[in-house]
Amino acid sequence: MNAMVIKSNLATVPTEQDPRWQAVVARDRAFEGKFYYSVKSTGVYCRPPCPARLAKPENVAFHATREDAERAGFRPCRRCKPDQVGASEQEAAQVAEIRFAVGECSLGSILVARNERGICAILLGDDRDALARDLQDRFPRARPIGGGTDFEDLIAKVAGFVEAPALGLDLALDLRGTAFQQRVWQALREIPAGETASYADIAGRIGLPKSVRAVAQACAANAIAVAIPCHRVVRSDGALSGYRWGVERKGALLAREAAA
C-alpha cells in the first residue's frame, strides 16, 4: 500500500472505511510516524505496523501523535514500543557510548550512567548484572563502557545524594522521553523533599487531569531514580503504589526524607 495523506476530516469516517485502518490491517511501514492508534479494550496505543494481534475496529481510535494518545489515557504497547520511536530514537542513536559503573548504597546496588550530555541513568537493585542488562535494554543503540576508577567520585556523589535527597544533586541530567513524559518528570522534580503528590495531582499540575494512567506510565518509564523523584508519587489515598525499584525502597526513601 502506498502512503497517503491523512486528512483531518477522517474523524467522521467509520473505522473500517478509514484509510488508516487499512494501513493497520496491512501493517504498512509507510505510515510509520504519520499516526498512532489506540485499543480501548487493552488500554494501549500502537504504531501502524505493530505485530500484535489485530484489534476489533470498534475498539480502535486514531491519534496524530504519541502525546495525543497518552493524553487520552493510553499507555505504550510493549510489543511495538511507540514511545521509543521518532525523536527519542534519533536522540538515542546519536549516543555513541555510555560510561557506567555500579556501586553500593543503603538501598542496595546502584548503577550510574553518563553520556556526553549528563547523567542518563540511575538504577537501583540487588543484582549488579541485572542492572547492567537494564541499562542496555534502555539504550539498545548505545555502547556501554565501564567507567573505570574516575567514576568512583561520581558513584560516591550519587550514592550520597540517595542517602540525603534533600541536599540535591548538582549534576547535569540527560532526560530522554516523549514530550508528555518530559512534562511529567519536570512536575516530579517540583515536589519538595519530604512531600508527596498523587498521580491525579501530577495530571492536574500538567493541565491534563484525565491522564492519570499515562502519568503512572511516565513514572514507570523514568530511568533516573531519586533525581527524578517518582518515589514521591503515591495513590490518592496516600498508600504506596508500585515503584520500578521496589515498594520497600520507595518507603525507605520517603521515610528518610520525612525525617530530614
Side-chain angles (χ1 to χ4, degrees):
M1 180 185 298
N2 294 325
M4 59 190 76
V5 176
I6 302 300
K7 298 181 179 179
S8 60
N9 63 3
L10 286 178
T12 62
V13 176
T15 299
E16 290 179 280
Q17 298 177 24
D18 191 313
R20 292 172 293 189
W21 173 247
Q22 300 306 316
V24 170
V25 172
R27 294 181 169 84
D28 194 339
R29 294 187 177 277
F31 287 84
E32 186 74 81
K34 296 183 181 297
F35 71 89
Y36 299 84
Y37 71 94
S38 60
V39 183
K40 67 180 181 182
S41 58
T42 61
V44 305
Y45 73 95
C46 306
R47 299 185 291 115
C50 181
R53 181 178 179 181
L54 189 65
K56 294 180 178 179
E58 60 266 27
N59 290 331
V60 169
F62 299 106
H63 309 272
T65 66
R66 297 189 299 271
E67 291 76 18
D68 287 345
E70 291 175 357
R71 280 194 290 268
F74 294 94
R75 62 186 186 278
C77 169
R78 293 184 177 180
R79 295 198 64 180
C80 67
K81 299 180 179 180
D83 56 331
Q84 295 182 18
V85 299
S88 295
E89 183 175 357
Q90 290 174 1
E91 289 176 357
Q94 293 172 0
V95 180
E97 64 181 41
I98 294 177
R99 301 182 66 206
F100 78 99
V102 182
E104 297 296 325
C105 67
S106 63
L107 297 179
S109 297
I110 178 171
L111 181 149
V112 180
R114 181 177 66 189
N115 58 36
E116 75 283 357
R117 296 172 60 179
I119 301 295
C120 58
I122 299 175
L123 310 177
L124 302 171
D126 299 312
D127 186 322
R128 288 174 169 240
D129 291 338
L131 290 178
R133 290 194 297 271
D134 189 8
L135 178 68
Q136 184 68 79
D137 289 342
R138 288 175 179 273
F139 300 93
R141 294 177 177 270
R143 183 164 58 97
I145 298 175
T149 56
D150 61 329
F151 244 60
E152 293 178 2
D153 289 343
L154 180 62
I155 288 286
K157 188 170 186 176
V158 175
F161 167 66
V162 171
E163 302 299 332
L167 297 179
L169 184 64
D170 186 22
L171 292 171
L173 303 180
D174 180 23
L175 307 181
R176 296 179 182 272
T178 66
F180 178 84
Q181 289 171 337
Q182 297 275 1
R183 292 174 66 183
V184 171
W185 296 339
Q186 180 57 41
L188 299 185
R189 299 181 72 183
E190 294 170 0
I191 305 173
E195 298 182 17
T196 59
S198 70
Y199 296 101
D201 289 335
I202 298 299
R205 292 181 190 185
I206 64 174
L208 299 168
K210 295 183 179 180
S211 63
V212 175
R213 183 165 56 182
V215 166
Q217 291 296 320
C219 290
N222 174 31
I224 306 180
V226 189
I228 306 298
C230 53
H231 63 278
R232 294 177 190 157
V233 186
V234 298
R235 291 186 351 194
S236 295
D237 60 3
L240 300 187
S241 56
Y243 185 53
R244 185 177 183 88
W245 296 286
V247 174
E248 290 185 358
R249 288 189 177 90
K250 183 172 187 172
L253 284 166
L254 291 176
R256 186 175 297 168
E257 293 178 359

